[in-house]
Amino acid sequence: MENAKSVKLILEDGTEIEGQSFGAFTSAAGEVVFSTAMTGYPENLTDPSFAGQILVLTYPMVGNYGVPGEELYESISKIFESDKIHIAGLVVNYYSEEHSHWNAAKSLGDWLKEYNIPGIFGVDTRMLTKILREKGAMLGKIVAEQDVELHDPNQDNLVAQVSPTEVKRYGTGQHKIVLVDCGTKTNIIRCFLERDVELIRVPWDYDFTTLDYDGLFLSNGPGDPKMCEPTIQHLQTALGQDKPIFGICLGSQLMGLAAGGDTFKLKYGHRSHNQPVLLTGTKRSYITSQNHGFAVDTATLPAEWDMLFENLNDGTCEGIKHKTKPFFSTQFHPEAAGGPEDTEYLFDDFLQAVAEYKAAK
């Protein structure tokens, strides 16, 4: 890339890595994390769960298929996971300035510039990933002309920053589902609308217990789940009832906390499209897409709760379920845009539970 300016990636342990700028030539700080996904950067960069993070992509070439143009489906994006880029910065090995794809509308660098997000390329991302695996996710900063202070986004209420501020409604289907939006990916909304539901999308701290609904869904989102105290309180009320509840990612952690369990921060998190999980009590495993830095501590769950899925790499909890009530969650993303879609059937399981609950009333 001709005339690229020099920038640095600086980690909290003092590691300094020189590279070249693409995207916005500006400085930014955040938590440095890595993803091993080989494709899907338009979806990853617009995932609200990445808010406050400097994302390292381990795939060696990035940008070669550009960025697609926006299309709408039921007033939401048909392609992206939200209406903007949420990462604080992007780190890649080789940035392909030239892009070629049938639906590309712009380059990755130009897209980053639109949102004033810095990128750095020419970095040995394999070496950097080894550092993060050994030492854990670290604070860091991309430094252009002006230096910035290190900042820990996990000290912020990131959910409050990415959640909508008003109630939105979609569809006119047979089941009325409340979606608690803590930073939801739009593909979750698409998955519900394809299944003929009426969806009521509410802010993270909205008292949804005042609404008339058939089932409750808890979305993904960024940061420490313990920051979502109002959500946890409302969820505790919902757990005292029998209406079906389904949570994904942060939603799984919130369910664990509301049930009386605890959560903890993973060393470097799970961010990829190839995480293997086991359906507990069976020999059935799935390859899943994930993006989270916290997990439920199953040892702290009350006796009426079980682990539903287990991560086959490190044994951590990938979902929980109630033994007698229709409450369950997954730490991974069944709706993953970019794939895999092996577990999308869980949306059907949830709506089947909703139908059975309504029939039994």
Side-chain angles (χ1 to χ4, degrees), residues 140-197:
K141 54 186 177 180
I142 295 174
V143 178
E145 292 180 321
Q146 300 294 324
D147 196 4
V148 291
E149 295 293 325
L150 292 173
H151 176 69
D152 184 359
N154 293 303
Q155 300 301 312
D156 301 332
N157 190 337
L158 296 173
V159 167
Q161 295 177 17
V162 301
S163 178
T165 57
E166 58 185 19
V167 176
K168 299 180 181 180
R169 294 175 181 264
Y170 310 86
T172 56
Q174 59 178 327
H175 302 311
K176 189 178 295 185
I177 305 299
V178 167
L179 186 160
V180 183
D181 187 346
C182 297
T184 191
K185 295 168 65 178
T186 52
N187 204 36
I188 289 174
I189 299 174
R190 293 192 290 265
C191 282
F192 274 120
L193 294 181
E194 289 167 1
R195 288 166 170 79
D196 190 32
V197 304

Side-chain angles (χ1 to χ4, degrees), residues 225-226 249 252-266 292-303 305-309 315-320 329 331:
K226 293 177 182 176
C249 200
S252 182
Q253 299 156 25
L254 294 174
M255 189 179 294
L257 290 169
D262 197 7
T263 55
F264 65 97
K265 195 175 191 304
L266 295 164
H292 59 272
F294 291 80
V296 174
D297 181 356
T298 53
T300 66
L301 288 174
W305 289 83
D306 283 330
M307 182 163 64
L308 179 57
F309 291 95
T316 54
C317 177
E318 289 287 353
I320 60 176
S329 69
Q331 189 59 66

Side-chain angles (χ1 to χ4, degrees), residues 61-83:
M61 182 170 67
V62 178
N64 54 306
Y65 60 87
V67 178
E70 179 65 287
E71 296 180 49
L72 294 181
Y73 166 75
E74 297 285 350
S75 78
I76 60 172
S77 175
K78 189 176 180 180
I79 298 172
F80 303 116
E81 295 294 5
S82 69
D83 59 1

